[in-house]
């Protein structure tokens, strides 16, 4: 017992706090011999259009409802300017895929500027780069069109340009222009297009598929928004699974993600009703996903539709002979992706600008077919798709969309993987730390989606729980080949699922929120070895968890403290003397980074190992990485 009678109240509290907080210690000895190979693809991304993560998110096009698509198009995000009216016009379709245009009617006797504005996706972020603007126009008009980016309430002008147009009433004319911008302090900005009303008084003009892009990531045409792509680049992930997810399945067979309707010129892409309440333009389509992989050096994981929609929508699941058209469709998709330019679909890909086949080795058959009534038929459906794909492309690794044995064939084909999704509580994730310790090594796992769920923002405690789970995955990364936090992106203004790895807003301009979970993913992905090393300790796992790996002469030790007490740690790695310690911590387990606060960021410091021994303290609720050499 400790006597406090001779201490002041503050000193007594400090001593008590110190005793409580430092009673535990962990010693780890990392072997420099042997070890198990670790998957080079372990950490990566899962993406689908949810939370406006595609349209309004990473896809660079900034105008909302720009093609007036969907079964009941309306004027969402559009407003008229001056003495004119706008309407959705079905009598003047741009193309068969874009069957509506925006009609501008100008009354007789009109003077002054007339036109329309678009408010973007809860704002238009103007980042100071050179913007590209594309649109189609129909009607008798030969004069200038004025385009501005202007503050909604302030009236501040962030860009203004004039482009000469010569169009006629018989067909649409394509117009392109670019212009410099001044960075706006927030996203409270409108896109405005106007003409001199006196020139078209008593007439009308039609506009089709207006597009507005900032400078995109790596300046790719029809490309990605750089702020979000840069955030992904900083994680240094290894793969991208696309296009989902529920959005691959669709609510019905008709509204599934159809690969062949997402390729070619954007004016030939009809889009589809997404599964997360809003219409998807599919401006970011199949080829753009592969360009995304090429630009960020990611291995593609292509999801293909497997005859089942959400909750058995649209008379699915299809079985027997009814599956064959969809199997043929997947084979056509794979020929488009993998075929050389002498094949029918490989030639089509080449005409769209990619002469060589894309680099694809991983294909997942369906999505979460263990849910919503898909389990009973999945063994048959998986086998039918597997046999057809494997016969045509024997070198592809094919992935089943579930690991539930009751949904799978009695014998899983040699070389096939299974996908396991794990949305859980914090304690639930920690309890599954050793979930894969005794799994059959002959059947590799893809952890296609996981995270703490049913909270608004990733907090410190929940992110530590994810780190514990990830340490368990990395310890077993001979059989766990890939793992992805999900969902990936979230427009804060319109959200269908929380939490998400990288929330963002347009206001302030392109505010990218690096959540606590984001930093955990970044720390683990950046600091990766190729061999998992044996670690001996005088302590059992919990509340401190660890894993060690090496790549050449570099060693990485990852630790998580899932508890409210600090922990003194000693890590011994023979022959090493220096390193860097990165720590992510907060004493408040509920601390989080949001659109209004940033409370938790990693800290780094150089550390020295005496005779290969590194000593440091893990704060309460913390994640740490020691990178030593």
């Amino acid at each position: 017992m400790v006597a406090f009678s001779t201490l002041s109240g503050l000193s007594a509290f400090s001593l008590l706090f110190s005793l409580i907080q430092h009673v535990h210690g962990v010693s780890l000895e990392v072997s420099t011999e042997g070890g198990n190979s670790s998957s080079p693809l372990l950490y990566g991304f899962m993406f689908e259009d949810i939370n406006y993560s595609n349209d309004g998110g990473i896809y660079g096009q900034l105008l909302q409802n720009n093609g007036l698509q969907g079964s009941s198009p309306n004027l969402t995000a559009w407003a008229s300017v001056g003495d004119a009216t706008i309407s959705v016009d079905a009598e003047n379709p741009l193309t068969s895929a874009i069957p509506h245009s925006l009609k501008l009617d100008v009354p007789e006797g009109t003077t002054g500027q007339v036109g329309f504005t678009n408010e973007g996706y809860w704002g238009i972020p103007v980042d100071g780069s050179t913007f590209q603007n594309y649109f189609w126009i129909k009607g008798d008009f030969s004069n200038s069109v004025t385009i501005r980016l202007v503050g909604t309430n302030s009236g501040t002008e962030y860009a203004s340009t004039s482009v000469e147009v010569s169009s006629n009433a018989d067909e649409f004319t394509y117009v392109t222009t670019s212009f410099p911008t001044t960075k706006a302090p927030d996203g409270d900005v409108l896109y405005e297009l106007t003409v001199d009303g006196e020139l078209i008084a008593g007439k009308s003009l039609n506009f089709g598929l207006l597009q507005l892009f900032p400078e995109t990531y790596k300046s790719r045409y029809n490309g990605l928004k750089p702020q979000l792509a840069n955030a992904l680049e900083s994680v240094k992930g290894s793969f991208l699974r696309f296009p989902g997810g529920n959005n691959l399945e669709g609510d019905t067979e008709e509204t599934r993600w159809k690969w062949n309707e997402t390729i070619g010129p954007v004016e030939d892409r009809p889009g589809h009703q997404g599964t997360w309440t809003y219409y998807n333009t599919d401006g970011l389509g199949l080829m753009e996903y592969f360009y995304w992989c090429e630009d960020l050096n990611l291995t593609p994981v292509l999801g293909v539709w497997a005859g089942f929609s959400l909750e058995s929508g649209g008379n699915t699941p299809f079985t027997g002979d009814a599956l064959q058209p969809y199997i043929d469709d997947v084979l056509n998709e794979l020929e488009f992706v993998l075929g050389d330019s002498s094949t029918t679909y490989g030639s089509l890909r080449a005409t769209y600008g990619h002469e060589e086949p894309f680099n694809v080795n991983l294909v997942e058959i369906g999505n979460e077919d263990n849910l919503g009534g898909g389990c009973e038929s999945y063994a048959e459906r998986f086998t039918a798709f597997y046999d057809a794909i494997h016969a045509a492309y024997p070198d592809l690794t094919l992935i089943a969309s579930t690991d539930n044995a009751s949904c799978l064939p009695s014998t899983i084909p040699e070389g096939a993987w299974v996908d396991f999704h794990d949305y859980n509580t914090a304690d639930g994730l920690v309890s599954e730390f050793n979930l894969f310790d005794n799994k059959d090594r002959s059947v590799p796992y893809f952890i296609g989606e996981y995270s703490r769920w049913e909270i608004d923002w990733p907090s410190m405690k929940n992110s530590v729980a994810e780190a514990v789970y990830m340490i368990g995955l990395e310890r077993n990364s001979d059989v766990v080949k890939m793992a992805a936090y999900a969902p990936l992106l979230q427009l804060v203004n319109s959200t269908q699922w929380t939490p998400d790895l990288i929330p963002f807003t347009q206001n302030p301009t392109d505010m990218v929120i690096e959540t606590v979970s984001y930093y955990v993913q970044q720390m683990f992905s950046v600091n990766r070895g190729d061999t998992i090393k044996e670690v001996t300790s005088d302590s059992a796992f919990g509340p401190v968890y660890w894993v060690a790996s090496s790549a050449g002469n570099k060693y990485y030790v990852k630790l998580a403290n899932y508890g409210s007490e600090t922990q003194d740690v000693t890590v011994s790695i023979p022959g090493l003397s220096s390193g860097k310690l990165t720590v992510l911590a907060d004493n408040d387990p509920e601390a989080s980074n949001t659109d209004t606060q940033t409370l938790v960021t990693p800290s780094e410091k150089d550390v020295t190992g005496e005779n290969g021994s590194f000593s440091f303290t893990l704060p309460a609720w913390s994640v740490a990485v020691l990178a030593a050499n």
Side-chain angles (χ1 to χ4, degrees):
M1 177 175 287
V2 178
F4 297 107
S5 58
T6 61
L7 301 175
S8 68
L10 180 60
S11 297
F13 177 81
S14 299
L15 177 57
L16 176 61
F17 182 82
S18 177
L19 288 170
I20 292 175
Q21 296 292 307
H22 291 89
V23 292
H24 296 294
V26 176
S27 295
L28 308 177
E29 294 186 10
V30 179
S31 173
T32 57
E33 303 295 327
N36 293 328
S37 294
S38 178
S39 171
L41 298 177
L42 185 56
Y43 298 117
F45 309 116
M46 178 273 181
F47 182 81
E48 69 173 315
D49 199 340
I50 181 175
N51 303 320
Y52 283 90
S53 56
N54 184 336
D55 292 321
I58 198 165
Y59 179 42
Q61 202 288 118
L62 300 177
L63 302 181
Q64 185 180 177
N65 193 25
N66 66 316
L68 303 171
Q69 293 163 290
S71 58
S72 301
N74 56 44
L75 292 174
T76 296
W78 297 99
S80 60
V81 172
D83 187 14
T85 59
I86 58 174
S87 60
V88 177
D89 188 356
E91 300 299 318
N92 287 279
L94 176 62
T95 64
S96 59
I98 308 293
H100 303 95
S101 59
L102 184 69
K103 187 175 184 180
L104 177 69
D105 283 304
V106 183
E108 292 279 3
T110 295
T111 60
Q113 293 294 108
V114 296
F116 48 81
T117 63
N118 186 287
E119 65 186 32
Y121 292 90
W122 292 270
I124 295 178
V126 183
D127 61 7
S129 67
T130 297
F131 274 41
Q132 307 292 326
N133 189 198
Y134 318 121
F135 60 89
W136 299 80
I137 183 172
K138 182 179 181 181
D140 291 323
F141 183 77
S142 293
N143 211 284
S144 62
V145 170
T146 299
I147 297 163
R148 296 198 307 154
L149 299 177
V150 59
T152 306
N153 297 310
S154 68
T156 303
E157 192 173 82
Y158 301 106
S160 180
T161 191
S162 181
V163 56
E164 293 298 317
V165 171
S166 180
S167 63
N168 61 69
D170 297 326
E171 61 184 1
F172 278 93
T173 299
Y174 188 50
V175 179
T176 69
T177 187
S178 63
F179 48 86
T181 67
T182 299
K183 183 170 181 170
D186 54 46
D188 191 21
V189 175
L190 294 172
Y191 167 87
E192 180 188 88
L193 185 152
T194 59
V195 298
D196 184 343
E198 189 173 356
L199 298 176
I200 55 171
K203 301 178 182 179
S204 63
L205 296 174
N206 283 78
F207 294 83
L209 197 64
L210 293 93
Q211 296 179 280
L212 181 68
F213 285 87
E215 179 72 22
T216 58
Y217 182 70
K218 295 194 174 179
S219 300
R220 187 175 286 281
Y221 173 76
N222 201 43
L224 305 181
K225 192 180 293 181
Q227 292 81 1
L228 289 172
N230 286 333
L232 296 181
E233 182 182 44
S234 295
V235 175
K236 299 190 183 303
S238 294
F239 67 86
L240 177 69
R241 173 184 167 222
F242 61 88
N246 291 354
N247 216 26
L248 167 68
E249 297 173 271
D251 288 326
T252 67
E253 178 268 344
E254 178 58 31
T255 60
R256 74 192 190 279
W257 189 84
K258 301 175 185 176
W259 72 273
N260 56 314
E261 294 185 358
T262 76
I263 59 175
V266 289
E267 63 268 22
D268 293 332
R269 304 182 192 183
H272 73 285
Q273 178 59 49
T275 57
W276 296 103
T277 74
Y278 56 92
Y279 202 83
N280 298 171
T281 70
D282 291 329
L284 196 161
L286 181 64
M287 291 187 70
E288 285 79 18
Y289 280 120
F290 282 110
Y291 289 138
W292 178 348
C293 291
E294 289 181 353
D295 289 346
L296 273 83
N297 194 30
L298 300 169
T299 294
V301 182
L302 175 62
V304 297
W305 197 73
F308 177 70
S309 294
L310 294 173
E311 304 300 332
S312 302
N315 299 318
T316 67
F318 295 115
T319 57
D321 292 342
L323 270 181
Q324 193 58 50
Y326 304 102
I327 294 172
D328 293 341
D329 187 58
V330 168
L331 293 176
N332 292 340
E333 180 179 8
L334 292 174
E335 183 177 282
F336 180 86
V337 171
L338 293 168
D340 63 41
S341 57
S342 68
T343 63
T344 299
Y345 288 98
S347 174
L348 181 61
R349 181 201 64 242
T351 65
Y352 291 154
H354 202 278
E355 180 72 23
E356 297 301 317
F358 289 107
N359 181 25
V360 181
N361 297 304
L362 299 164
V363 174
E364 181 160 6
I365 299 171
N367 173 70
E368 294 183 337
D369 286 87
N370 55 310
L371 302 178
C375 181
E376 183 177 349
S377 63
Y378 187 61
E380 176 189 349
R381 292 185 290 112
F382 171 78
T383 300
F385 279 92
Y386 179 93
D387 288 348
I389 296 170
H390 185 68
Y393 302 96
D395 294 333
L396 288 180
T397 295
L398 302 180
I399 306 170
S401 73
T402 177
D403 75 329
N404 187 330
S406 65
C407 309
L408 294 169
S410 57
T411 301
I412 297 174
E414 183 178 357
W417 298 5
V418 295
D419 188 352
F420 174 67
H421 295 180
D422 199 351
Y423 294 103
N424 216 321
T425 64
D427 287 346
L429 289 170
V430 172
S431 73
E432 293 179 340
F433 164 72
N434 60 357
L435 181 63
F436 296 93
D437 285 2
N438 298 307
K439 290 289 186 182
D440 179 359
R441 263 42 194 173
S442 68
V443 181
Y445 267 78
F446 173 27
I447 315 304
E449 302 175 26
Y450 72 91
S451 70
R452 169 68 166 99
W453 74 325
E454 294 184 333
I455 55 174
D456 290 335
W457 299 91
S459 68
M460 192 68 240
K461 175 181 177 179
N462 293 309
S463 298
V464 175
E466 291 164 358
V468 172
Y469 185 77
M470 293 165 68
I471 288 172
L473 300 182
E474 189 162 326
R475 290 176 67 246
N476 290 280
S477 55
D478 59 325
V479 68
V480 176
K481 300 299 185 181
M482 302 185 298
Y485 183 108
L488 181 60
L489 301 174
Q490 170 203 356
L491 177 58
V492 173
N493 308 81
S494 183
T495 295
Q496 293 81 50
W497 182 295
T498 59
D500 302 272
L501 191 66
I502 308 174
F504 61 94
T505 73
Q506 323 291 21
N507 194 356
T509 298
D510 274 342
M511 179 183 183
V512 176
I513 301 158
E514 295 170 335
T515 63
V516 187
S517 291
Y518 171 86
Y519 285 125
V520 170
Q521 293 289 323
Q522 183 184 57
M523 289 166 62
F524 275 44
S525 182
V526 168
N527 298 287
R528 270 192 273 178
D530 53 31
T531 304
I532 303 301
K533 311 302 288 190
E534 181 182 4
V535 180
T536 57
S537 177
D538 57 359
S539 301
F541 289 117
V544 177
Y545 299 82
W546 59 84
V547 64
S549 65
S550 67
N553 295 324
K554 191 110 178 191
Y555 282 71
Y556 304 96
V557 181
K558 296 170 182 173
L559 305 107
N561 180 10
Y562 187 69
S564 58
E565 300 176 359
T566 61
Q567 303 284 337
D568 292 327
V569 176
T570 299
V571 177
S572 297
I573 311 174
L576 303 190
S577 60
S578 63
K580 185 179 294 292
L581 181 67
T582 304
V583 178
L584 184 72
D586 199 290
N587 285 329
D588 179 2
E590 301 306 316
S592 60
N593 300 337
T594 72
D595 56 342
T596 61
Q597 64 183 25
T598 300
L599 299 179
V600 186
T601 57
S603 62
E604 289 186 354
K605 68 175 181 179
D606 293 327
V607 291
T608 301
E610 185 175 345
N611 297 321
S613 181
F614 299 84
S615 296
F616 49 90
T617 298
L618 278 182
W621 307 113
S622 64
V623 179
V625 177
L626 171 65
N629 53 21

